[in-house]
Amino acid sequence: MYKFNEDNMNFLKGRDFLKLLDLTPCEISDLITLAEELKDRKKKGIPHEFYKGRNIALIFEKTSTRTRCSFEVAAHDLGMQVTYLDPTGSQIGKKESIADTARVLASIYDGIEYRGYGQAIVEELARYSKVPVWNGLTNEFHPTQILADFLTIKEHFGTLKGVKLVYMGDARYNMGNSLMVGAAKMGLDFVACAPSKYFPDPMLVVECRKIAKQTGATITLETDPKKAVKDAKVIYTDVWVSMGEPFDVWEERINDLAPYQVNTALMNAAAPDAVFMHCLPAFHDLNTGVGREMGERFDRDSMEVTNEVFESERSIVFEEAENRMHTIKAVMAATL
């Protein structure tokens, strides 16, 4: 088990952080432990500028409030300078190849974060970079979010092993994939609850079930919400539609997933001490432009989660959001 000291903090030195499948359960556990230590130092006001003088680049082909703020604050806390490249500020894949971008940035920076589209892009960046590359989100995986989720669950329940986590909704993409992988690695009981056409990729399910045999985890696919959440400690969901998707996709997705909305009745069907989690942003009311548009078009006052659940004492979404920064700091500290 990892015990923190400043001399062995970078126990993944030179490694990339692309997906949790690349890490052992012990390495994931050690990252969470390091995040706990760095969070404690942050709360106590203890400086931890271990990487003063270093510089990192953040490539954001998809914008994000939490990911950008988490990387920037974490980097500053570690003493580093940050360059942010938004969708108009980088020529990656347009005027400059991914391989050339990686080699240029790696000659200037000490680490590179990528948030964008296909997993193949961040994998290619890592292949050609001589400095660590960190995945801030791709279509397939969102590993920094899972570390934050697992730190939050551990803080709340004292353990990860044996905790039943149910993911409600479209489990085919980065959040469903990554939660399933993380659960398999860390011994949680994972349930993807959705119509069968929204289940995760069968090949990934097979891979996770192989891992689960070694860790004591379970991987279950379920279509019945009440059956899925029985004895569950964590009920997790994400948005049903991504911005930019056409209206006909919205209509199909919302109609299909409406029975899987997280509401008070569903929470009451879970364990008495169950908590609600969401990677954010959430369409729990009509107080956003997109939320209003969706509400007006589909005559709904909320989408994947009701406002009653989102604002309840069982909701730990903002603790989860804060932990993005602490776990991202741990990833950078461990790999630099």
Side-chain angles (χ1 to χ4, degrees):
M1 179 180 291
Y2 174 74
K3 291 188 181 298
F4 175 84
N5 69 62
E6 295 180 20
D7 294 328
N8 72 351
M9 179 176 57
N10 56 346
F11 53 84
L12 297 177
K13 184 177 180 178
R15 294 268 299 275
D16 301 308
F17 184 77
L18 307 179
K19 56 187 183 297
L20 294 183
L21 284 169
D22 300 333
L23 301 177
T24 67
C26 183
E27 288 168 340
I28 295 170
S29 179
D30 288 349
L31 283 170
I32 294 171
T33 299
L34 177 55
E36 290 172 322
E37 171 64 29
L38 294 174
K39 180 175 182 177
D40 184 62
R41 290 188 172 217
K42 175 83 169 178
K43 296 295 185 183
K44 292 176 178 176
I46 301 172
H48 42 284
E49 295 181 325
F50 303 125
Y51 291 105
K52 201 164 186 176
R54 303 286 188 96
N55 295 275
I56 65 167
L58 308 181
I59 303 172
F60 274 64
E61 292 195 298
K62 288 183 179 180
T63 58
S64 168
T65 300
R66 280 152 304 284
T67 303
R68 178 180 177 180
C69 292
S70 294
F71 267 100
E72 290 195 351
V73 172
H76 293 153
D77 283 354
L78 290 171
M80 298 190 288
Q81 300 297 311
V82 178
T83 299
Y84 173 74
L85 301 170
D86 68 14
T88 64
S90 168
Q91 299 301 329
I92 185 170
K94 298 186 279 288
K95 292 183 179 179
E96 188 166 55
S97 70
I98 296 166
D100 289 356
T101 298
R103 287 178 285 194
V104 168
L105 293 180
S107 70
I108 301 171
Y109 294 95
D110 299 288
I112 303 166
E113 180 271 355
Y114 173 82
R115 179 185 172 91
Y117 297 96
Q119 181 72 13
I121 298 173
V122 75
E123 299 274 355
E124 187 172 0
L125 275 172
R127 191 176 311 122
Y128 287 95
S129 171
K130 64 183 180 183
V131 300
V133 172
W134 309 300
N135 180 0
L137 172 142
T138 63
N139 293 339
E140 293 90 342
F141 295 107
H142 197 359
T144 60
Q145 179 66 54
I146 306 312
L147 286 185
D149 296 339
F150 284 6
L151 172 58
T152 310
I153 293 169
K154 185 179 177 186
E155 288 175 335
H156 200 80
F157 293 108
T159 186
L160 293 173
K161 196 84 170 175
V163 170
K164 182 177 179 180
L165 184 154
V166 180
Y167 180 79
M168 304 290 299
D170 192 342
R172 298 172 296 174
Y173 301 116
N174 48 38
M175 283 310 304
N177 289 342
S178 296
L179 283 167
M180 181 170 65
V181 171
K185 290 275 185 176
M186 302 308 292
L188 286 80
D189 295 327
F190 174 81
V191 181
C193 185
S196 56
K197 70 179 183 179
Y198 294 101
F199 284 165
D201 177 73
M203 294 300 292
L204 185 60
V205 173
V206 169
E207 186 170 4
C208 287
R209 283 178 170 159
K210 287 180 180 177
I211 297 168
K213 287 181 179 179
Q214 305 300 316
T215 64
T218 62
I219 306 296
T220 304
L221 308 181
E222 179 57 64
T223 59
D224 183 337
K226 286 193 175 179
K227 184 177 178 182
V229 302
K230 186 178 186 301
D231 300 323
K233 296 284 192 179
V234 179
I235 310 300
Y236 200 119
T237 193
D238 190 11
V239 294
W240 290 340
V241 290
S242 297
M243 299 310 96
E245 291 188 294
F247 176 73
D248 58 343
V249 172
W250 286 24
E251 187 170 28
E252 179 186 17
R253 201 84 52 79
I254 290 168
N255 288 338
D256 286 346
L257 295 176
Y260 298 86
Q261 182 190 59
V262 180
N263 51 38
T264 299
L266 192 74
M267 291 298 297
N268 288 342
D273 57 347
V275 296
F276 170 72
M277 299 180 73
H278 193 304
C279 55
L280 302 181
F283 296 122
H284 58 98
D285 57 23
L286 305 180
N287 293 334
T288 62
V290 174
R292 280 193 298 276
E293 181 182 359
M294 293 170 76
E296 290 168 2
R297 288 190 178 194
F298 299 100
D299 192 28
R300 298 180 63 90
D301 59 8
S302 59
M303 290 292 165
E304 72 277 5
V305 58
T306 63
N307 194 57
E308 184 178 23
V309 169
F310 188 88
E311 296 291 356
S312 72
E313 291 184 356
R314 303 176 86 172
S315 174
I316 56 173
V317 298
F318 295 110
E319 293 94 325
E320 180 186 3
E322 178 193 333
N323 280 339
R324 289 294 305 286
M325 189 271 289
H326 303 299
T327 48
I328 282 171
K329 188 186 296 182
V331 167
M332 293 194 293
T335 55
L336 285 171

